[in-house]
Amino acid sequence: MENKTNVTEFILHGLTQDKRVAKVCFLLSLVFYATIIFGNLLIIITIKTSEQLNSPMYFFLSYLSFVDISYSTVTAPKLMYDLLVEKKTISFVGCIAQLFAGHFFGCTEIFLLTVMAYDRCIAICKPLHYTNIVNKHVCGWLVAASWVGGFVHSVVQTLLPIQLPFCGPNEIDHYFCDVHPLLKLACTDTHITGVTVAANSGVISLICFVVLVVSYAVILVSLRTHSSEGRLKALYTCTSHITVVVLFFGPCIFIYMRPSTTFSADKMVSVFYTIITPMLNPLIYTLRNEEVKNAMKKLWSRKVKRSEK
């Protein structure tokens, strides 16, 4: 078969074909996306303007919030637009760009969550050496490594479908462009490519998840030597991280830790890591964190005082 692509655009099936359900989904998506933007921006502004939130944990959290905004923006606006139109199309170039951006920000978030677990592990297990081990220089390198790792992963994921021929069907049974739905449309055998995709995305997700579980297991063991007050505070912080990890990694492992097959549940599962988790992150990290809530109150009070003047 000649290795060329005749397809110039793809037709997305979207989240639903039912017009009534589509309107409800649009309103929910709009609320979720607005919450993602407002909540994560509020976290970034609070951390950048607060003198109290200057620890590495909040440094990483500010970048996680930025990645959440970027990651959800890759899919949410297009999803909302498609819920209101009859014909849902995306150009071939646009599809590949969405694929690249989605995996770039998604994988960067995976690495950032792993880095945050490492930070908590050092802070709780080696508190006396914490400032020397996780200093500003190390924090910068860890964040940079997360971005580079996400970029390398995304390049590999994007190059795989680009090299495949697309010569016939162009309907994607999804609400955004991803590797598995694209492989399903290729006019050639994609078994090896599917295994490569699973090895790239799935193994990264699984390894990072195992590292996270081990980190928190070490933390739980070390907490036995802490005071009851210190143990409670550490558990409170770690519970927030674990909640985010489960909500994000669970769906990712389900989607990518398998060969190039698609299930009917994939679209709903994908909603969790593309929209639900980025929306819940600011709620989880603020409602369960007294330091962040106090910093937000101070920020709000300063703005009120300025407006009164």
Side-chain angles (χ1 to χ4, degrees):
M1 182 177 292
E2 188 178 355
N3 188 19
K4 68 176 184 178
T5 296
N6 298 325
V7 175
T8 58
E9 69 175 15
F10 292 103
I11 300 173
L12 298 170
H13 285 185
L15 199 58
T16 178
Q17 299 292 325
D18 191 310
K19 292 183 179 180
R20 293 181 183 177
V21 177
K23 291 179 181 179
V24 175
C25 289
F26 171 79
L27 292 175
L28 289 174
S29 300
L30 183 62
V31 172
F32 290 167
Y33 186 57
T35 304
I36 291 169
I37 300 298
F38 176 77
N40 284 291
L41 276 178
L42 182 59
I43 287 179
I44 294 172
I45 294 170
T46 302
I47 292 173
K48 296 300 181 184
T49 57
S50 175
E51 296 179 357
Q52 289 78 24
L53 305 180
N54 57 0
S55 67
M57 181 178 74
Y58 298 113
F59 175 77
F60 296 133
L61 179 57
S62 65
Y63 277 96
L64 180 67
S65 294
F66 174 76
V67 171
D68 276 335
I69 292 173
S70 304
Y71 188 39
S72 60
T73 301
V74 173
T75 56
K78 175 63 176 170
L79 167 64
M80 289 187 290
Y81 175 78
D82 286 344
L83 286 169
L84 297 179
V85 298
E86 195 72 33
K87 190 177 182 182
K88 309 167 180 60
T89 61
I90 185 170
S91 66
F92 182 84
V93 175
C95 183
I96 298 300
Q98 190 181 53
L99 170 66
F100 175 86
H103 280 271
F104 174 48
F105 291 117
C107 191
T108 300
E109 177 154 350
I110 285 175
F111 289 136
L112 277 176
L113 289 171
T114 308
V115 165
M116 291 175 74
Y118 166 76
D119 169 68
R120 288 300 84 205
C121 187
I122 299 298
I124 295 171
C125 299
K126 296 185 177 181
L128 298 178
H129 304 283
Y130 176 63
T131 54
N132 291 327
I133 297 174
V134 190
N135 53 49
K136 288 185 178 180
H137 185 70
V138 172
C139 288
W141 275 108
L142 288 173
V143 170
S146 298
W147 284 107
V148 172
F151 178 78
V152 172
H153 160 79
S154 187
V155 167
V156 174
Q157 292 296 82
T158 306
L159 288 177
L160 291 173
I162 281 181
Q163 297 176 355
L164 297 173
F166 296 93
C167 51
N170 66 336
E171 294 187 14
I172 298 177
D173 187 18
H174 216 307
Y175 64 90
F176 69 95
C177 288
D178 204 0
V179 181
H180 288 322
L182 280 176
L183 294 182
K184 195 174 180 181
L185 300 181
C187 304
T188 186
D189 181 27
T190 59
H191 177 71
I192 296 177
T193 306
V195 172
T196 307
V197 168
N200 189 14
S201 293
V203 171
I204 287 176
S205 300
L206 186 61
I207 290 176
C208 288
F209 182 72
V210 171
V211 171
L212 285 161
V213 170
V214 171
S215 298
Y216 288 118
V218 171
I219 289 173
L220 291 174
V221 171
S222 68
L223 285 177
R224 293 182 300 177
T225 60
H226 287 62
S227 63
S228 58
E229 184 180 352
R231 190 184 303 129
L232 185 62
K233 184 178 179 181
L235 282 173
Y236 209 63
T237 303
C238 291
T239 302
S240 301
H241 292 204
I242 293 170
T243 303
V244 172
V245 165
V246 171
L247 287 173
F248 189 77
F249 277 82
C252 283
I253 293 173
F254 172 79
I255 294 291
Y256 297 109
M257 197 63 190
R258 66 176 195 242
S260 55
T261 55
T262 57
F263 298 135
S264 58
D266 284 358
K267 285 190 282 188
M268 295 309 301
V269 173
S270 298
V271 169
F272 270 91
Y273 63 83
T274 58
I275 297 177
I276 302 296
T277 303
M279 179 193 68
L280 292 178
N281 278 357
L283 297 175
I284 291 170
Y285 282 111
T286 55
L287 295 179
R288 298 182 62 85
N289 192 309
E290 288 297 327
E291 290 180 328
V292 176
K293 285 193 287 187
N294 291 334
M296 286 182 176
K297 289 176 183 177
K298 290 180 180 179
L299 178 64
W300 178 256
S301 63
R302 286 202 300 265
K303 287 186 177 182
V304 171
K305 290 179 180 178
R306 287 175 185 174
S307 62
E308 288 176 351
K309 292 180 180 179

